[in-house]
Amino acid sequence: MPDALKLYKAKRNFDITSEPAEGGVASTDALTFVIQKHWATRLHYDFRLELDGTMKSWAVPKGPSYDTHDKRMAVHVEDHPISYSDFEGTIPPKQYGAGKVIIWDKGTWEPIGDPHEGYRKGNLKFEIHGHKMHGRWVLVRMKGRGDDRQEPWLLIKENDEYARPAEEFSVVDEMPDSVKELPMPKRARGKVAALKAEAQSEAQSEEVRKPARKSAAKSATKAVSKTAASKAAAKPAAKTSRARKASVPGLPEGVKKAALPEKFTPELATLVDAPPPDPENWVFEVKFDGYRMLTRVENGQVRLITRNDNDWTDKLQPLQKELERIGLPDGWYDGEIVVHDENGKPNFGLLQLAFDGVRTADIVYFLFDAPYCNGYDLRDVPLVERRAALEQVLKEAKSDKVRFSAEFGTNPDELVLAACKIGLEGVIGKRRDSRYVERRSPEWIKLKCGLRQEFVIGGFTDPKGSRKGVGSLLLGTYDREGVLRYAGNVGSGFNHASLMDISERLEALRTDESPFPPRAVPGRQHHWVKPVLVAEVSFSEWTNTGSVRHPVFQGLRKDKPAKGITREEPRHIEDIDALKPHSAPTDEPVSPPPPGLHRKLPETLRVTNPDRVVDPSTGITKLDVIRYYALVGELMMEHLKRRPLTLVRAPSGIGAELVFQKHADVKKLPGVKQMDPALDPDNPPMLEIAGVEGILSVAQWNAIELHTQNAVAKSYETPDRIVFDLDPGEGVEWHQMQEAAQIMHAFLDELGLPAFLKTSGGKGLHVVVPIKPEYGWDTVKAFSQAIVRHLAATLPDRFAFKSGAKNRVGKIFIDYLRNGRGATTVSAWSARARPGMGISVPLEWDELMKLKSSTQWTVTNVHTRLDRGNDPWTGYAKAAKAVTKAMKILGFDE
């Protein structure tokens, strides 16, 4: 329609802008819509509805609102071609509408009544089906204006099941990102039809190896499809939640086709001190008294893997054969193995006897999750749908030895009481809508009947009287610094057989050196052993001195390494509740997706100027920054704790003057404290973040970056890490940075030094070396300088030793200056005060070559990395090495 696009074309120079001049095909079955988020002179949302071969368009400054009381201004602008619906990019400077454009939402719309009549009269009602926009809306033209091409209209949400109060939900705040890569949303009736076709296709293409396997595989497809069908037909729930992206049309949201990974890490539950306040949103199961066990099935081959990635297939051959017999579909299955006593109750001692003898046939395997099943990755599928699929598969399997872990009930207070009365260990709770994450999660909780946990055995005492074997076991747990702390002793719970068995094991581990700190264990007549055995012990309480009271030995654990045993501290359920996503995921389409996921902010935190734009290039606001730090706060504390802090504040945004802050009055900064003035007597006291509240306090104070020094307060004069900042000079490409980091890693390995990697969030990479705190600042800095000098001398075409810009054109400067007294490095998970607001993220070394840039993760897309969290740096606290040997290898003379 040339006349309809005349004004559109007149405003644009298509030799300069990448916007389409015309084109696009009108839909034959449904009218389309698009909403484009547009950072022009001011941020606004371009709302476009397909009608009569063009996109009727309105500019909505504040974007849509689900609150029926909000009447959002919508300025009527020129028609756009249908092809514009696919446009995402940047309109060049000095062109009409110059600025960044993303596709914020897309989908289809249905007019309510005659759309031509409604458009002409200025009362256009419609129902919309997008990723973010749902339900009934109306565009109403205001009267009294003369310019019909800039008519003021209002965009208003109609009162329906999707309506939400503005103070409860803001769709533009909580769903900020592009949907360009997502498929077009389908109506529910379309989903059911597509689902049936998908299920039939899966059933027809399934290879038939043997009858049991065929039956189970069909069940998997049917079960996944069944949950999708019921969800598509169901009405939206009253509560909203974060949305998930379905990548397989017709199947549950979150499911996607995926190859079966070789390795898998189970989700772990968090110990809490009370049931959750919203039990209706949780699934409760029995806490089994057994061993956590993962099963990997591929092409009929079954492997049984412990939670710490130990292959126990050979130890569990009867179970392996049973799993092969029932023919589970290819996948990863999560559960617990137990042995029941004569009363049908799981008994940990009998489970141990099953391993020690020949009674592994008595083992029963309770499955409670299926993160991968039948060619699909189900980790992003809500828990209840994963469990429904698993339950259907196991119904077809018909096995007494492999069972489904059913729901235990709905009232957690009564459940815990009942579990304790019948002698169970406790109850596990899981959020109904939670996705599966490969780490410890607050969305899985454990409620124990009594105190019970694992301890490392560090020694033993002699038996007294007629007792044989050992008198008691000396127990310990590792602290955050990797020191084995004495936790008391246990002498009850043994029988003759267990005493003889453990005595024999301990004799083989005897040593003259105590694994505990000096004088930690009272008394003198002790025998020390290498700290490799793990005992499970129940007890009544912890004493003030950190020992267990009334301990009872339950058995040895063979599925957990001693180095990973720490004191279990129950979390307050209120804290766990605060860690849940701002809106829990449900089946309702209107919900914040992963990009808008954030932690609930403390009610005591007053955010001033929340809408002030911090980064004009992205539109990120001060509130966005605070929400980001609420999201990563707990991850970040592992890198901030006990270290002197420096802040980079941006009171006027990152394009204006920045303020570097090392000292401050902390009275108005909850969670921030001043360090001992004696650490740096010539200056005001240094700052320290004491908890997540402190991170939020400084973010409210306009801090963007949080930097730390290379020493902790208790040993400030002896650094405990070395940092190498790989900083690219002009002309250096990213692949050169990757190669440089690999070279750095290899050289440090030659020196016998551990190395951990993270992005800088800017242009470079950080290599962090944990060391024993034994040398002073000057020595450590000089040693780091010697390493850089050696690399620069060995590979002068790659590395520059001098820092000036002219000295490193085409080269990489490895900045060793960050290792001096008072020098700082940006903390892991800190945002950067630069356009785009990249963040510093811990990495595995084998991820390096897949990395696209140091700004791969930003404040707006951090949700794509949260599942990994700090896992890439697992073992950092215990990896520190003395550097004396490395100094000698390098020929460094201190």
Side-chain angles (χ1 to χ4, degrees):
M1 299 182 67
D3 291 340
L5 297 177
K6 182 177 180 180
L7 182 58
Y8 168 81
K9 292 181 178 180
K11 290 185 174 184
R12 291 161 175 83
N13 183 343
F14 297 105
D15 292 332
I16 299 176
T17 183
S18 58
E19 297 166 280
E22 54 190 14
V25 179
S27 302
T28 57
D29 58 345
L31 296 170
T32 63
F33 84 92
V34 68
I35 300 178
Q36 284 153 318
K37 191 174 180 180
H38 189 176
W39 287 269
T41 305
R42 292 186 178 179
L43 173 66
H44 64 275
Y45 295 77
D46 292 316
F47 185 60
R48 312 190 196 281
L49 300 175
E50 179 190 349
L51 188 64
D52 295 334
T54 65
M55 303 300 290
K56 303 299 180 186
S57 300
W58 291 261
V60 184
K62 291 187 176 181
S65 168
Y66 273 88
D67 193 324
T68 58
H69 298 94
D70 286 346
K71 297 175 174 58
R72 291 293 167 88
M73 178 67 72
V75 179
H76 190 217
V77 297
E78 71 276 10
D79 290 1
H80 283 52
I82 291 175
S83 58
Y84 205 94
S85 296
D86 284 331
F87 176 70
E88 185 171 279
T90 300
I91 302 173
K94 299 184 180 179
Q95 292 298 298
Y96 178 74
K100 180 182 175 182
V101 177
I102 66 170
I103 298 175
W104 182 78
D105 198 15
K106 62 182 179 181
T108 60
W109 71 284
E110 296 179 75
I112 299 175
D114 184 347
H116 302 90
E117 183 75 4
Y119 181 66
R120 184 179 63 80
K121 290 187 174 182
N123 189 11
L124 179 59
K125 294 187 176 183
F126 51 92
E127 187 171 350
I128 201 164
H129 316 288
H131 291 285
K132 305 173 185 179
M133 297 288 286
H134 301 273
R136 298 191 303 274
W137 299 74
V138 62
L139 277 162
V140 180
R141 184 171 57 228
M142 298 174 67
K143 297 180 180 179
R145 301 295 180 95
D147 185 356
D148 61 354
R149 287 175 183 159
Q150 291 289 308
E151 298 168 334
W153 293 54
L154 298 175
L155 176 64
I156 306 170
K157 181 75 187 75
E158 296 273 70
N159 192 10
D160 61 13
E161 65 268 33
Y162 296 103
R164 295 283 300 280
E167 62 270 17
E168 180 181 323
F169 176 68
S170 167
V171 67
V172 295
D173 287 336
E174 301 199 26
M175 307 177 75
D177 290 351
S178 169
V179 299
K180 181 176 176 61
E181 300 304 322
L182 297 184
M184 286 290 282
K186 294 184 178 182
R187 294 297 312 279
R189 58 176 179 269
K191 282 189 175 183
V192 174
L195 170 66
K196 291 178 180 177
E198 177 78 19
Q200 291 172 0
S201 173
E202 287 294 322
Q204 292 168 0
S205 63
E206 178 68 27
E207 290 188 23
V208 182
R209 282 196 315 104
K210 52 187 177 181
R213 179 167 176 76
K214 176 182 177 183
S215 176
K218 281 187 176 180
S219 299
T221 302
K222 187 188 301 182
V224 174
S225 301
K226 185 177 180 180
T227 57
S230 62
K231 187 162 91 169
K235 287 187 177 181
K239 296 181 181 180
T240 61
S241 65
R242 65 179 186 264
R244 289 186 173 85
K245 302 174 182 177
S247 54
V248 182
L251 291 174
E253 291 184 74
V255 71
K256 48 183 175 283
K257 282 279 191 182
L260 192 65
E262 184 65 27
K263 301 282 187 178
F264 189 77
T265 303
E267 181 164 358
L268 302 178
T270 300
L271 180 64
V272 295
D273 60 358
D278 54 343
E280 68 278 3
N281 294 327
W282 295 75
V283 170
F284 296 99
E285 303 171 59
V286 169
K287 187 179 189 309
F288 294 104
D289 195 3
Y291 284 160
R292 185 75 171 272
M293 194 62 58
L294 297 168
T295 295
R296 187 182 190 276
V297 181
E298 186 171 28
N299 297 325
Q301 300 298 311
V302 172
R303 286 171 51 214
L304 290 153
I305 311 295
T306 71
R307 56 178 276 184
N308 289 298
D309 199 33
N310 295 316
D311 193 325
W312 279 18
T313 309
D314 290 342
K315 295 183 179 183
L316 296 164
Q317 288 188 12
L319 180 57
Q320 178 201 21
K321 291 177 181 177
E322 176 68 0
L323 288 163
E324 289 178 346
R325 183 192 70 79
I326 65 178
L328 295 179
D330 288 0
W332 276 99
Y333 300 89
D334 194 356
E336 188 108 355
I337 58 172
V338 303
V339 170
H340 293 112
D341 62 16
E342 65 275 9
N343 298 315
K345 185 188 72 173
N347 185 294
F348 186 72
L350 291 179
L351 177 62
Q352 286 195 306
L353 291 176
F355 280 101
D356 294 338
V358 292
R359 298 180 56 197
T360 51
D362 293 341
I363 289 176
V364 177
Y365 191 16
F366 284 95
L367 292 175
F368 45 70
D369 216 320
Y372 285 86
C373 187
N374 202 34
Y376 291 108
D377 178 352
L378 304 182
R379 290 175 300 168
D380 282 345
V381 173
L383 171 80
V384 289
E385 296 183 30
R386 296 197 309 271
R387 284 174 53 81
L390 175 62
E391 184 175 19
Q392 185 63 36
V393 168
L394 293 177
K395 279 183 180 178
E396 297 289 341
K398 296 182 172 63
S399 172
D400 291 333
K401 298 297 183 183
V402 182
R403 307 178 190 176
F404 179 67
S405 174
E407 284 195 49
F408 189 37
T410 56
N411 186 321
D413 292 291
E414 294 178 358
L415 293 178
V416 174
L417 182 61
C420 299
K421 281 184 176 179
I422 61 178
L424 297 175
E425 192 182 347
V427 172
I428 295 288
K430 302 171 185 176
R431 285 195 180 278
R432 290 183 172 276
D433 47 23
S434 63
R435 56 190 298 270
Y436 195 104
V437 296
E438 296 182 53
R439 54 178 168 80
R440 193 171 299 280
S441 167
E443 296 192 313
W444 286 20
I445 60 174
K446 49 187 175 182
L447 295 154
K448 291 188 176 182
C449 290
L451 296 178
R452 176 168 165 163
Q453 72 157 78
E454 299 83 22
F455 293 89
V456 179
I457 301 174
F460 63 94
T461 63
D462 290 325
K464 295 181 180 180
S466 61
R467 186 165 182 165
K468 303 295 183 182
V470 299
S472 64
L473 303 178
L474 306 179
L475 307 174
T477 59
Y478 283 100
D479 65 13
R480 293 179 176 178
E481 305 300 326
V483 177
L484 186 64
R485 300 294 180 185
Y486 179 63
N489 62 80
V490 57
S492 62
F494 300 96
N495 56 29
H496 179 75
S498 61
L499 281 172
M500 293 301 100
D501 173 68
I502 203 166
S503 177
E504 183 178 343
R505 294 174 187 267
L506 292 173
E507 281 297 329
L509 297 171
R510 291 274 294 257
T511 179
D512 293 333
E513 184 178 351
S514 170
F516 302 104
R519 297 181 296 280
V521 184
R524 295 182 179 180
Q525 295 180 348
H526 307 309
H527 306 289
W528 309 120
V529 296
K530 296 176 182 177
V532 296
L533 292 182
V534 176
E536 181 153 344
V537 177
S538 60
F539 54 101
S540 61
E541 63 179 339
W542 289 96
T543 68
N544 293 334
T545 59
S547 295
V548 292
R549 192 187 301 278
H550 307 135
V552 179
F553 177 77
Q554 299 294 331
L556 293 177
R557 294 212 68 120
K558 303 171 185 177
D559 60 332
K560 296 184 179 182
K563 281 293 185 182
I565 302 303
T566 59
R567 175 171 168 172
E568 269 195 345
E569 298 282 4
R571 299 283 300 276
H572 293 304
I573 191 62
E574 294 84 358
D575 296 339
I576 292 295
D577 192 53
L579 286 176
K580 72 175 184 272
H582 185 61
S583 301
T586 68
D587 293 343
E588 187 167 345
V590 184
S591 54
L597 180 67
H598 58 270
R599 302 293 189 234
K600 184 178 180 181
L601 298 181
E603 295 181 358
T604 55
L605 179 68
R606 287 193 58 221
V607 180
T608 59
N609 302 313
D611 297 325
R612 180 171 57 78
V613 174
V614 173
D615 178 17
S617 72
T618 60
I620 292 172
T621 65
K622 179 179 178 179
L623 183 58
D624 292 332
V625 174
I626 293 174
R627 282 177 170 173
Y628 163 73
Y629 277 122
L631 185 64
V632 302
E634 291 214 345
L635 294 173
M636 199 173 187
M637 280 307 303
E638 291 189 29
H639 305 272
L640 292 174
K641 58 191 178 187
R642 300 185 297 279
R643 294 190 182 275
L645 175 76
T646 297
L647 304 173
V648 178
R649 298 174 52 235
S652 301
I654 63 176
E657 184 177 355
L658 301 178
V659 178
F660 290 78
Q661 196 103 26
K662 284 192 173 184
H663 315 287
D665 182 354
V666 298
K667 293 178 182 176
K668 295 183 179 180
L669 296 173
V672 182
K673 65 181 184 180
Q674 293 180 336
M675 288 186 158
D676 184 352
L679 295 177
D680 191 16
D682 296 330
N683 294 292
M686 295 182 289
L687 302 178
E688 177 188 355
I689 294 290
V692 174
E693 184 182 31
I695 299 175
L696 301 182
S697 294
V698 298
Q700 152 59 22
W701 197 34
N702 301 306
I704 304 297
E705 298 183 7
L706 284 74
H707 294 238
T708 59
Q709 295 189 34
N710 287 355
V712 295
K714 69 177 184 180
S715 55
Y716 180 65
E717 293 303 328
T718 50
D720 67 348
R721 74 182 185 196
I722 300 173
V723 176
F724 297 98
D725 180 3
L726 278 62
D727 192 3
E730 183 181 346
V732 174
E733 296 181 356
W734 178 245
H735 72 88
Q736 294 172 279
M737 291 294 296
Q738 293 169 305
E739 292 171 357
Q742 287 180 315
I743 292 170
M744 182 97 235
H745 186 204
F747 184 62
L748 291 170
D749 190 53
E750 287 292 319
L751 295 178
L753 295 176
F756 292 81
L757 180 68
K758 69 184 181 77
T759 64
S760 69
K763 296 184 295 182
L765 293 165
H766 292 162
V767 178
V768 182
V769 179
I771 63 173
K772 297 287 187 182
E774 50 188 356
Y775 289 100
W777 288 102
D778 291 343
T779 301
V780 170
K781 180 182 176 183
F783 176 52
S784 68
Q785 182 184 25
I787 291 175
V788 174
R789 186 189 300 274
H790 178 85
L791 285 170
T794 305
L795 298 168
D797 292 333
R798 290 177 181 262
F799 299 110
F801 181 70
K802 296 183 179 180
S803 62
K806 65 180 181 179
N807 298 316
R808 49 177 170 158
V809 174
K811 299 181 181 181
I812 296 164
F813 172 61
I814 305 177
D815 187 356
Y816 59 87
L817 301 173
R818 299 184 182 275
N819 299 303
R821 192 178 195 276
T824 64
T825 302
V826 71
S827 171
W829 301 106
S830 173
R832 303 308 302 270
R834 304 178 184 186
M837 299 196 73
I839 56 179
S840 179
V841 174
L843 297 170
E844 299 261 16
W845 278 103
D846 60 9
E847 292 181 285
L848 174 60
M849 299 312 291
K850 301 173 186 176
L851 201 66
K852 296 177 181 178
S853 74
S854 192
T855 56
Q856 183 159 324
W857 293 284
T858 68
V859 166
T860 57
N861 71 1
V862 69
H863 63 280
T864 64
R865 187 63 182 179
L866 290 181
D867 285 356
R868 297 301 309 277
N870 288 323
D871 288 351
W873 279 28
T874 298
Y876 176 90
K878 301 171 186 176
K881 292 282 186 70
V883 297
T884 304
K885 184 177 179 181
M887 289 176 174
K888 291 178 180 178
I889 295 173
L890 187 62
F892 173 76
D893 185 4
E894 60 177 291

